[in-house]
Amino acid sequence: MFKKVLIIVFSLFILLFAAAAAIPMFFKEEIDAKIKSSINKNVNAKVNYKELDLSIISSFPNVGIKINNLSIIGIDSFDKDTLANVKQLQLNVNLWSVLKGDTYQINSVNLNEPNILVKVLKNGVANWDIMKPDSANLTTDSSKSTFKAAFQKYSIEQGTITYDDASLGLYMKLDSLNHSGKGDFTQDLFTLDTQSEIEKLTVKYRGIPYLNGVKLDAELPVEIDTKNMKFTFADNKIKLNELLLSAVGYLAMPNETDMVMDFKFDAKESELKNFLSLIPSIYAANFKDLEATGKFSMNGNAKGIYNEKSLPAFNVNLLVENGKIKYPSLPSAINNIQIKSQISNPNGVIDNTVVNVPSFHLEFGQVPVDGKLLLKNPVSDPFIDMALKGKLDLKQLTAIFPMKDMVLSGILDADVKAAGRKSSIDRQQYEAFKASGQIIANNFNYAGKNVPMPVSVPSAKLIFSPKNITLSNLVAKIGSSDFTANGSLNNYLSYFFNKNQLLQGSFNMLSNLVNVNELMGPKVTEATPASKESKLTVFEVPGNINFNVNAKANKVIYDNYDITNAIGTLLVKDKTITFKNMGMNMLDGKLRMDGTYATINPKKPKVDVDFGIDNMNIQKAFQAFNTIKFLAPVAKYAKGTFSTDLKYNSDLDEHMQPVYSTINAEGLTNIIEAMIDGFEPLNKLAASLSSDKFKKLELNNVVTKFKIKDGRLNVAPFDIKKDGIVMNVQGSNDIDQTMDYNLGLNLPRAMLGAKANETVNAMLGKLNSKAGTNVSVSDNVKVNAVLGGTFLKPTINLKYGIADAKSTAKEAITNVIAEKKAEFQTKAQAKLDTVKVKATEKVKDAIADKLNNLFKKKTIN
């Protein structure tokens, strides 16, 4: 009998197991269709998921619905924002509701590795507001909804949740969140027990980080009144890093815009060390070894309504008495810490917030620092009353508070006071705003991964008054650059208190070395298989400063240029740097410069400069200036010096290089002396004239006008004279190296090679044959050379001519007349005259037809 019963039980078990495995197969398509239908009916968003799995065995007595790789992307203003990306969403649904096939009852929800972005724009529009206006309420109206929420529990595993509310200036991020809650959501009044672990919690309000990467552990039971949307906090524990807090009270949301609250909080364990754990740089650096003693207390309350226009009334108190902070392995400590502070608001009006630190005192080793701070009416007309006096040893500070990836040292000796209202500054009533004191820096040094190069200030002194800050005795070094400076900053209070106010300054600056490449920031490196090239990035000129700087530098390094004896005036205003009377030595010559560099559009910087260059090395200029490389490639093959005066303007690209199609320039260049050798167009000319003498070209005091327009170089006619040769040059070339030049040569016939001479003789032979003359070529020959193609692959077209055609014609006529006189000397004078006239006309006609037609082509004089 027992055996039969066992077989029956086992058979039933197998049957139930098989049924549990089979049911999901029967309902999978139906549930998938209902989920998609419910989404389309209720949601204004793009919702996708990869696959749907069903199971009863692992979630019994519920049906487990697993939705994998779920994504929700907004529309309209949020069409590029992903509201949620969930690796796996599991819904445990009541089995009986599935079998009935009417409305599915959801008992629990689990989100595995969700990445959720909750975003609110400045106008209050939220990306989570995706429900259609006529969509059904999932929890109350089951007649219109496929799913009904009847939660007993929910959980989030390894989640990341970001809340970014631009309308309130609130930002919150929860990294590596594990959270669970248990409660009967079907009841109108129930208790929800929650547990939370957050690896990194960051909270910022109006850009100020109040919590930055803090670890949170919390056990927080909440009594929930769903009818009144009221949440009451009972005894709870909230641990932020090592600080243990407790908050009691309630939070209610009676309507869509208001949150009503009344709660109190305090620190349960009043130890200074626990409070210091909230400071990231301290907590991250061997916090367990930190010695911190002294009394610490923090408490507060908030009561009232929170919305876009108001805050609840609140009060926060913080007290430190007889504090001491020290790491055992370090020699220095902060002793005798005394701080009392209060932030209060009596009625929720933001402008009535008061920050009051009546006094604070601490000692770095044996050196005291004292101060106070009072801030009132932060919105309408801020009033500030502050003072700071003491000597701070920065190296000792970093010994007390080790700072990762940072080296800081030096002495700051401060004694400053300020008291008054912002309105006094706005009205320029500086006598009503009291500001005085000085800060002296000695041997200040700063280096770390957050700055591209070390900063060193051996000495500096700042003297404060309501109108300005006077800088004197500044000696500084930034990277390899060094500076000494003095001057003043005006309007600094308005610049500090008011947005977009102009900061004015006037400075005198001297330097032995200015490395502009370093000061402009890190270079962009583009690697290619053959090489790696470092490129500059755009230096954006600030728009809210007005500086006048008289500068002198013994050496300046900019891009590939080594500059010496630089002097001039820089005006910085309206996102533009204006150069006045700038002078410097570079590339073996002297450069004078007046002009502007503007970043009004930082994506398209512009330069507009008048240059004067004296005795600059051609080869070095070619290597230094890309403009010369692209528009005057002949300079690559020239050795010598030149001078020029030009007006230049162009756009710059993102690497501070000219946009060649935008270059416009004109000027006058004097090639003082140069030898051109190896230039392919000259090699082509030499081959065409059958003479190696044209492969090299020597220039001395050659002056030419040029113009660059829309990236094309146009050269006005100029003459080159050397060794009996006269060459007239004119034409143009483009950035793509194409050229169109005309060369007009007048040269001794002896310079022509055999082939060229044969060509000339053949032409004259045909002429004499047709004309019945015996014209010969004189010692000089004219050649027209038209250069085309590119500089690397030039083309050439030559046309020859006799240098003195008129003289040759007259000579031919005289010879014919003499011959006729000898032949007919016995004839009468009248007959001779007739023959003379006919011979003269014959020669004139023949030469006019042949020679002039041959040489009437364009020649360049």
Side-chain angles (χ1 to χ4, degrees):
M1 179 64 69
F2 177 76
K3 184 176 181 180
K4 289 181 179 181
V5 172
L6 185 63
I7 292 173
I8 292 171
V9 172
F10 183 74
S11 299
L12 288 173
F13 177 78
I14 294 296
L15 182 63
L16 290 172
F17 185 83
I23 286 175
M25 297 176 62
F26 292 123
F27 289 95
K28 182 175 181 179
E29 291 185 4
E30 179 184 344
I31 292 175
D32 188 27
K34 287 191 175 184
I35 288 175
K36 291 178 178 178
S37 175
S38 181
I39 290 172
N40 293 328
K41 185 186 299 183
N42 295 289
V43 174
N44 277 323
K46 292 175 282 187
V47 181
N48 293 295
Y49 55 85
K50 186 176 181 180
E51 59 183 349
L52 179 74
D53 290 332
L54 298 182
S55 173
I56 291 181
I57 297 172
S58 62
S59 57
F60 190 83
N62 295 312
V63 176
I65 303 174
K66 294 181 180 179
I67 302 173
N68 297 317
N69 298 318
L70 171 67
S71 68
I72 304 174
I73 300 175
I75 60 175
D76 299 330
S77 300
F78 304 102
D79 61 350
K80 295 182 180 179
D81 292 327
T82 300
L83 170 61
N85 197 335
V86 184
K87 184 177 181 180
Q88 186 179 82
L89 168 63
Q90 179 168 347
L91 307 174
N92 287 333
V93 180
N94 180 274
L95 177 58
W96 183 247
S97 69
V98 174
L99 295 175
K100 288 175 62 179
D102 183 13
T103 301
Y104 297 160
Q105 179 177 306
I106 303 173
N107 290 337
S108 66
V109 176
N110 173 262
L111 285 78
N112 187 7
E113 296 186 27
N115 193 328
I116 300 172
L117 171 63
V118 180
K119 192 172 184 179
V120 183
L121 302 180
K122 285 187 176 181
N123 58 10
V125 177
N127 70 337
W128 47 263
D129 188 11
I130 60 175
M131 300 302 294
K132 292 181 178 179
D134 58 346
S135 63
N137 189 314
L138 297 182
T139 61
T140 61
D141 194 350
S142 61
S143 64
K144 295 182 180 180
S145 176
T146 305
F147 294 91
K148 176 184 178 182
F151 295 142
Q152 300 294 324
K153 62 180 179 178
Y154 67 91
S155 62
I156 298 172
E157 298 177 12
Q158 289 299 306
T160 299
I161 300 178
T162 303
Y163 178 78
D164 188 358
D165 190 338
S167 66
L168 298 176
L170 179 63
Y171 175 89
M172 182 165 58
K173 185 172 183 180
L174 291 68
D175 267 330
S176 298
L177 166 68
N178 291 299
H179 175 79
S180 63
K182 293 182 180 180
D184 189 354
F185 284 81
T186 62
Q187 302 297 316
D188 292 335
L189 182 64
F190 66 97
T191 298
L192 175 65
D193 291 318
T194 67
Q195 290 187 331
S196 302
E197 293 180 1
I198 303 173
E199 190 65 31
K200 292 182 180 180
L201 171 64
T202 298
V203 179
K204 296 180 181 180
Y205 183 68
R206 300 193 183 279
I208 300 174
Y210 290 91
L211 296 175
N212 191 5
V214 172
K215 184 177 181 180
L216 179 142
D217 291 299
E219 295 180 6
L220 189 63
V222 183
E223 184 182 88
I224 299 178
D225 182 351
T226 57
K227 284 188 175 181
N228 299 307
M229 285 300 289
K230 183 177 180 181
F231 307 88
T232 303
F233 302 96
D235 290 338
N236 54 75
K237 294 181 180 180
I238 304 171
K239 189 176 182 182
L240 301 174
N241 283 347
E242 299 300 320
L243 180 64
L244 189 61
L245 300 174
S246 177
V248 295
Y250 72 85
L251 172 68
M253 291 181 284
N255 53 55
E256 293 183 356
T257 60
D258 297 334
M259 286 193 297
V260 181
M261 63 184 71
D262 184 1
F263 68 88
K264 299 178 181 180
F265 70 91
D266 63 55
K268 287 192 171 184
E269 297 181 7
S270 298
E271 294 183 15
L272 178 60
K273 183 176 181 179
N274 296 336
F275 170 71
L276 294 175
S277 73
L278 297 183
I279 303 175
S281 60
I282 298 178
Y283 188 67
N286 301 320
F287 179 76
K288 65 179 184 301
D289 297 328
L290 177 68
E291 293 180 4
T293 59
K295 181 182 178 181
F296 166 78
S297 66
M298 183 175 68
N299 57 70
N301 60 73
K303 184 177 183 179
I305 300 174
Y306 175 73
N307 56 33
E308 292 185 11
K309 296 181 180 180
S310 70
L311 292 172
F314 63 89
N315 186 62
V316 178
N317 300 293
L318 186 146
L319 176 70
V320 178
E321 292 182 342
N322 304 318
K324 179 180 179 180
I325 303 171
K326 186 180 185 300
Y327 283 97
S329 59
L330 299 174
S332 298
I334 299 180
N335 300 305
N336 196 16
I337 304 171
Q338 312 287 342
I339 300 174
K340 184 178 182 180
S341 64
Q342 181 184 48
I343 303 174
S344 63
N345 184 295
N347 53 16
V349 178
I350 297 176
D351 195 42
N352 292 335
T353 301
V354 176
V355 178
N356 186 20
V357 185
S359 66
F360 69 85
H361 174 91
L362 50 87
E363 297 169 5
F364 288 93
Q366 301 297 320
V367 180
V369 176
D370 292 277
K372 67 175 183 178
L373 173 65
L374 176 63
L375 175 63
K376 298 189 295 184
N377 307 117
V379 178
S380 62
D381 187 10
F383 171 84
I384 188 171
D385 184 2
M386 60 83 63
L388 177 66
K389 184 177 182 180
K391 187 177 290 187
L392 181 61
D393 187 331
L394 298 177
K395 186 175 182 179
Q396 197 174 58
L397 176 65
T398 57
I400 299 166
F401 296 121
M403 298 181 183
K404 187 178 180 181
D405 300 319
M406 182 186 299
V407 176
L408 190 64
S409 64
I411 303 295
L412 294 180
D413 191 347
D415 186 359
V416 294
K417 296 178 181 179
R421 289 195 173 274
K422 174 179 172 291
S423 57
S424 300
I425 300 168
D426 295 340
R427 294 191 296 266
Q428 296 186 352
Q429 296 175 347
Y430 297 112
E431 67 281 356
F433 192 98
K434 299 177 181 180
S436 62
Q438 65 181 24
I439 297 177
I440 300 173
N442 288 297
N443 299 318
F444 173 84
N445 295 281
Y446 175 57
K449 69 176 184 179
N450 294 324
V451 292
M453 67 210 74
V455 177
S456 174
V457 181
S459 65
K461 184 176 182 179
L462 297 173
I463 300 177
F464 295 85
S465 74
K467 290 185 177 181
N468 58 36
I469 299 174
T470 302
L471 171 67
S472 63
N473 194 35
L474 171 64
V475 179
K477 191 169 185 179
I478 305 175
S480 58
S481 303
D482 63 86
F483 305 93
T484 60
N486 59 71
S488 63
L489 281 174
N490 303 317
N491 202 43
Y492 74 97
L493 289 173
S494 293
Y495 177 81
F496 178 78
F497 283 111
N498 298 311
K499 188 177 181 180
N500 297 326
Q501 287 294 303
L502 199 63
L503 180 64
Q504 299 172 326
S506 179
F507 301 95
N508 297 308
M509 186 179 72
L510 299 175
S511 175
N512 289 315
L513 171 64
V514 179
N515 191 332
V516 180
N517 294 344
E518 286 184 342
L519 298 177
M520 289 178 68
K523 294 183 178 181
V524 177
T525 301
E526 296 179 355
T528 63
S531 64
K532 293 183 179 179
E533 183 182 359
S534 294
K535 298 182 179 181
L536 297 173
T537 56
V538 171
F539 168 68
E540 186 173 350
V541 182
N544 57 344
I545 64 173
N546 183 355
F547 286 175
N548 186 328
V549 181
N550 295 312
K552 183 177 181 181
N554 293 331
K555 185 176 181 179
V556 178
I557 299 174
Y558 172 67
D559 202 5
N560 298 319
Y561 316 144
D562 284 335
I563 301 167
T564 60
N565 297 325
I567 190 171
T569 300
L570 301 177
L571 304 178
V572 184
K573 185 179 181 180
D574 298 331
K575 297 186 177 182
T576 301
I577 298 177
T578 301
F579 310 95
K580 284 191 174 183
N581 301 319
M582 295 290 292
M584 62 194 72
N585 297 335
M586 62 183 298
L587 308 179
D588 297 343
K590 293 183 178 180
L591 174 66
R592 294 168 281 107
M593 183 171 63
D594 289 273
T596 60
Y597 164 78
T599 57
I600 296 172
N601 180 356
K603 295 183 178 179
K604 190 185 291 185
K606 293 180 179 291
V607 290
D608 188 346
V609 185
D610 291 349
F611 288 104
I613 296 174
D614 297 325
N615 296 295
M616 189 170 286
N617 183 285
I618 296 175
Q619 274 295 301
K620 291 184 177 182
F622 176 82
Q623 296 297 328
F625 301 118
N626 284 335
T627 303
I628 295 179
K629 289 181 180 179
F630 285 104
L631 290 175
V634 65
K636 179 179 180 180
Y637 307 93
K639 295 181 179 179
T641 58
F642 75 101
S643 297
T644 189
D645 290 299
L646 75 151
K647 296 180 179 293
Y648 175 97
N649 67 77
S650 77
D651 295 343
L652 301 179
D653 64 17
E654 66 272 20
H655 300 306
M656 296 290 286
Q657 296 298 324
V659 178
Y660 296 102
S661 61
T662 68
I663 292 177
N664 290 289
E666 60 180 324
L668 187 70
T669 293
N670 177 17
I671 302 174
I672 300 169
E673 59 176 359
M675 176 64 73
I676 303 175
D677 185 12
F679 189 44
E680 190 58 27
L682 287 181
N683 293 337
K684 192 79 171 181
L685 178 64
S688 299
L689 295 176
S690 305
S691 175
D692 289 342
K693 293 183 179 180
F694 292 96
K695 288 186 175 181
K696 293 183 179 182
L697 187 62
E698 185 177 347
L699 307 177
N700 289 285
N701 294 317
V702 174
V703 179
T704 180
K705 291 182 179 180
F706 66 90
K707 187 174 184 178
I708 303 173
K709 186 175 182 181
D710 300 328
R712 188 170 184 89
L713 173 66
N714 296 275
V715 179
F718 67 94
D719 288 333
I720 300 173
K721 298 179 181 180
K722 183 68 176 178
D723 297 332
I725 302 173
V726 177
M727 181 188 295
N728 183 270
V729 182
Q730 63 177 319
S732 65
N733 61 267
D734 211 329
I735 186 175
D736 62 2
Q737 307 290 285
T738 58
M739 61 177 174
D740 181 11
Y741 279 94
N742 290 319
L743 308 181
L745 294 95
N746 190 337
L747 66 158
R749 184 178 180 186
M751 286 191 176
L752 295 178
K755 186 176 180 180
N757 271 300
E758 287 176 6
T759 301
V760 174
N761 289 334
M763 292 173 58
L764 289 174
K766 290 180 181 180
L767 173 64
N768 286 327
S769 176
K770 289 183 179 181
T773 62
N774 189 23
V775 177
S776 61
V777 180
S778 66
D779 291 337
N780 280 4
V781 177
K782 284 188 176 180
V783 181
N784 282 346
V786 179
L787 291 175
T790 66
F791 287 106
L792 295 178
K793 294 182 179 180
T795 62
I796 191 166
N797 184 18
L798 296 183
K799 294 186 181 298
Y800 295 92
I802 300 173
D804 194 357
K806 292 183 178 180
S807 298
T808 305
K810 290 180 179 179
E811 182 181 353
I813 293 171
T814 303
N815 290 337
V816 172
I817 293 173
E819 290 175 3
K820 296 299 180 180
K821 281 184 179 181
E823 183 180 352
F824 301 107
Q825 59 184 349
T826 58
K827 295 183 179 182
Q829 184 67 40
K831 185 68 174 178
L832 179 61
D833 292 338
T834 301
V835 173
K836 178 180 178 181
V837 170
K838 290 182 179 180
T840 301
E841 292 176 352
K842 180 180 179 181
V843 172
K844 286 182 177 180
D845 291 341
I847 293 175
D849 289 341
K850 305 301 181 181
L851 293 183
N852 288 341
N853 284 340
L854 181 63
F855 300 116
K856 71 180 180 179
K857 303 295 182 181
K858 180 181 177 182
T859 60
I860 301 173
N861 295 318

